[in-house]
Amino acid sequence: MSGFQLDNPASYNQTTVTVHCKPYRKLLWMTTNQKDYIDEGPRNAPVVMIIHGFPESWFMYKHQIKMLVESGYRVVALDMLGYGQSAAPSKESFYTYKRISSDIDVLLKKFVGYHPSIVDGLISLCVPIYSSPSTPVPILDGGRVARSLVQNKNPYTNYQISLRKSDNKVLDTSIQDFLEAFLQEDPSCLERLSKAPPYRGIVENFRQVKCMHKLAVDNQMLQYILDQFAKSGTRGPTNYYRTAALNLIESQRQPPGVEITQPTLYIKAEKDFMEKLAPVAGKCKSCDFQEESIDGGHWIFLTHKEEVNAKIQAWLQTRFPAKR
């Protein structure tokens, strides 16, 4: 059993490595990235990799890390590109789906060795499952059509437009407002923020919409996340929202209609605005798909940790049991 202390991030086995990827469009300066990760649990156990979202940290998943290690799994929890101790390049092209997944693929091989599929199963918390388009999307005039296609009229994507257009120099001076607005426990606060007018600017939206209610994180975790954001700023995390056109262009180089075929667990938060963001998403047609629901908001892995952990543990033990 690993000896980390649940509430002390410095006690976890933390490693920073340089990930060497294949040349990307023959541009060698895009082939390496520094990755920081936590590695806990038995060395010869099945590996569970935790990939956090926005604006998060691996430390927010401490309760899942503890449960998984105690259940006999080896846990690798990443600081994603742009976050914490990992590299934070300023160029948007580093943050496309293809580039990020290529980095993760190379890192996974460090733990599991050669495997035809690398990933045996998938668990998604709150974020619906997406598949690639079943038919090619036309790309003309250096991405003009792609840009028009990503201008989604769903009001719940307004926050993405605001983040895409944000001035990071201004945002870096308001990091605490930025985090507290997104980390509210009350689901209605996140919903109001997601629909706030993008023309008003992301910082102003934070101040206008910010609910003075309970956060989903405690003060210690909030301070840790603030310290991590202070290292590299907000440019990297917001770059993920600036890659929509690039992702569409890159998707044309993939076979149309690629589906997830691995067993998949989707844990849905009933009160999460993400369900309104993508109401038609959520299932992979060709996989062993299981959907579970929890009556909570976007941060259920913190606010409903016991329920989330029980569902994850039961699903893993059924499909990928670990020796204990």
Side-chain angles (χ1 to χ4, degrees):
M1 180 63 63
S2 299
F4 64 87
Q5 300 169 359
L6 180 68
D7 296 320
N8 179 10
S11 70
Y12 291 72
N13 181 24
Q14 193 162 2
T15 305
T16 301
V17 297
T18 299
V19 176
H20 299 275
C21 299
K22 296 179 181 178
Y24 179 82
R25 294 182 185 172
K26 298 182 179 179
L27 300 178
L28 296 180
W29 53 268
M30 295 186 73
T31 63
T32 61
N33 271 327
Q34 188 181 61
K35 284 286 190 297
D36 187 79
Y37 61 89
I38 301 303
D39 183 7
E40 292 288 351
R43 302 297 89 178
N44 60 346
V47 176
V48 177
M49 178 172 280
I50 295 176
I51 300 173
H52 70 74
F54 173 90
E56 299 177 12
S57 162
W58 68 267
F59 189 48
M60 292 173 67
Y61 293 83
K62 63 181 183 179
H63 300 292
Q64 286 71 48
I65 294 172
K66 179 176 183 291
M67 177 274 294
L68 289 166
V69 170
E70 290 178 348
S71 299
Y73 295 92
R74 182 178 182 181
V75 182
V76 177
L78 305 183
D79 263 338
M80 292 298 288
L81 193 70
Y83 290 84
Q85 303 297 323
S86 289
S90 61
K91 291 184 179 294
E92 298 164 15
S93 53
F94 278 84
Y95 297 85
T96 63
Y97 294 150
K98 181 178 180 181
R99 180 58 199 272
I100 293 295
S101 60
S102 294
D103 285 356
I104 292 172
D105 176 71
V106 172
L107 188 59
L108 269 172
K109 290 174 182 175
K110 174 180 175 65
F111 300 101
V112 300
Y114 174 76
H115 190 286
S117 64
I118 299 297
V119 177
D120 289 329
L122 173 67
I123 300 172
S124 180
L125 299 180
C126 301
V127 180
I129 307 297
Y130 294 86
S131 296
S132 65
S134 58
T135 57
V137 178
I139 304 297
L140 303 172
D141 298 339
R144 176 177 57 82
V145 174
R147 285 193 295 273
S148 68
L149 286 169
V150 300
Q151 292 174 352
N152 194 322
K153 294 183 179 181
N154 186 329
Y156 292 94
T157 64
N158 282 354
Y159 82 100
Q160 297 183 0
I161 298 171
S162 296
L163 289 169
R164 193 181 307 150
K165 296 180 177 180
S166 61
D167 182 338
N168 289 103
K169 290 182 179 179
V170 174
L171 202 55
D172 285 347
T173 66
S174 308
I175 290 179
Q176 185 154 350
D177 283 344
F178 163 82
L179 287 173
E180 289 187 1
F182 273 106
L183 295 175
Q184 291 290 324
E185 183 174 328
D186 183 352
S188 66
C189 295
L190 272 180
E191 183 166 337
R192 286 162 52 199
L193 179 61
S194 72
K195 296 192 295 182
Y199 63 81
R200 200 160 59 191
I202 194 69
V203 174
E204 184 59 28
N205 278 343
F206 292 154
R207 291 169 179 160
Q208 293 280 341
V209 176
K210 180 179 174 182
C211 303
M212 301 306 293
H213 298 311
K214 181 181 178 182
L215 297 181
V217 297
D218 59 24
N219 290 335
Q220 182 217 21
M221 185 176 291
L222 176 63
Q223 188 58 55
Y224 178 81
I225 300 169
L226 282 168
D227 292 344
Q228 297 304 298
F229 267 83
K231 297 179 188 300
S232 302
T234 60
R235 174 72 186 181
T238 55
N239 268 348
Y240 287 88
Y241 295 96
R242 299 186 176 106
T243 60
L246 289 172
N247 286 328
L248 280 172
I249 293 170
E250 289 184 348
S251 72
Q252 305 315 295
R253 300 182 175 91
Q254 304 297 320
V258 174
E259 288 280 350
I260 296 170
T261 58
Q262 291 88 346
T264 299
L265 171 64
Y266 173 41
I267 302 179
K268 177 173 68 175
E270 293 285 357
K271 297 177 181 177
D272 189 4
F273 79 96
M274 292 294 291
E275 287 299 311
K276 300 174 183 177
L277 177 65
V280 298
K283 291 188 177 180
C284 46
K285 298 176 183 177
S286 304
C287 71
D288 169 13
F289 184 86
Q290 180 175 331
E291 180 177 307
E292 298 284 348
S293 296
I294 291 177
D295 185 24
H298 189 67
W299 308 111
I300 53 172
F301 59 92
L302 291 165
T303 60
H304 297 67
K305 54 184 179 291
E306 291 86 3
E307 292 179 69
V308 169
N309 285 357
K311 293 181 185 299
I312 291 173
Q313 187 179 48
W315 186 83
L316 282 173
Q317 288 178 345
T318 300
R319 289 164 177 79
F320 310 104
K323 296 180 180 179
R324 302 179 64 177

